[in-house]
Amino acid sequence: GSLVLLVGCGLMVRSVVKMMNTDLGFDPAGLNASRIMLRARNYPDPAAYRSFHERFAASVTTVTGSKVVFSSWPPFVPPPEHLIEPDAGEAGISGGAFSVSAGYFSTFGIAITQGREFTVEEASADAPVAVISETLARRLWPAGGALGRRVRGVARTQGGSTPGPWRTVVGIAGDVRQTYDDGDRSDFYMPRTPDVRFVTF
């Protein structure tokens, strides 16, 4: 019995050490994350949600000097899976879909390996652009040349599927792990200033 316990403890310690040394693809040092849920009676529509979030971010930055960025799903929380389709008619690939504000990648220390991240103007206008992960770029276009191509996310629901708009790839981001055993991620990022009740900042 004692031997089994010792072996189990050894395996657990080894797993913890491995997790601590795992490159997550982002830098969590100095970051705080929280969720906001607005009351529908006080904020009746998407325009009111967006106005609150913009004022909130500006106020926090003014008071603390800290940058505030938003995401539909923060790192290390597995996002909903979408079908990510390329513009040339090839088969789509299942991947995570995120809506993020300007400055998201630099704030989280997620490397942009090609191209650029979103501008404030693009996030405010929900512009038809996208940033995709290195794995997704490699899987969709093995020969390279993902920048300037078009992709779209197709949300899958019980009632069928809903294609989003075509978006031009303006940047390629390093892969981000959503769990410790998640090696490569086929992730798709869209620019957006949030206009929903539930937001992670």
Side-chain angles (χ1 to χ4, degrees), residues 76-146:
F76 229 61
V77 176
E81 294 283 321
H82 281 52
L83 183 67
I84 314 301
E85 295 183 335
D87 61 359
E90 294 99 335
I93 291 171
S94 183
F98 301 81
S99 295
V100 301
S101 63
Y104 173 83
F105 299 97
S106 56
T107 298
F108 277 94
I110 300 171
I112 297 293
T113 58
Q114 293 182 51
R116 61 176 177 82
E117 61 179 307
F118 305 128
T119 66
V120 172
E121 293 74 22
E122 286 169 338
S124 297
D126 189 15
V129 294
V131 169
I132 62 176
S133 69
E134 289 181 320
T135 291
L136 182 58
R138 188 167 54 249
R139 292 180 69 192
L140 290 178
W141 295 287

Side-chain angles (χ1 to χ4, degrees), residues 116 118 127-132 147 151 167-172 188-191:
R116 61 176 177 82
F118 305 128
V129 294
V131 169
I132 62 176
L147 287 181
V151 291
R167 297 175 179 273
T168 301
V169 176
V170 296
I172 298 175
F188 170 76
Y189 300 90
M190 301 162 281

Side-chain angles (χ1 to χ4, degrees), residues 56-73:
F56 172 80
S59 296
V60 171
T61 299
T62 298
V63 171
T64 68
S66 300
K67 183 160 188 167
V68 177
V69 294
F70 299 95
S71 173
S72 55
W73 299 90

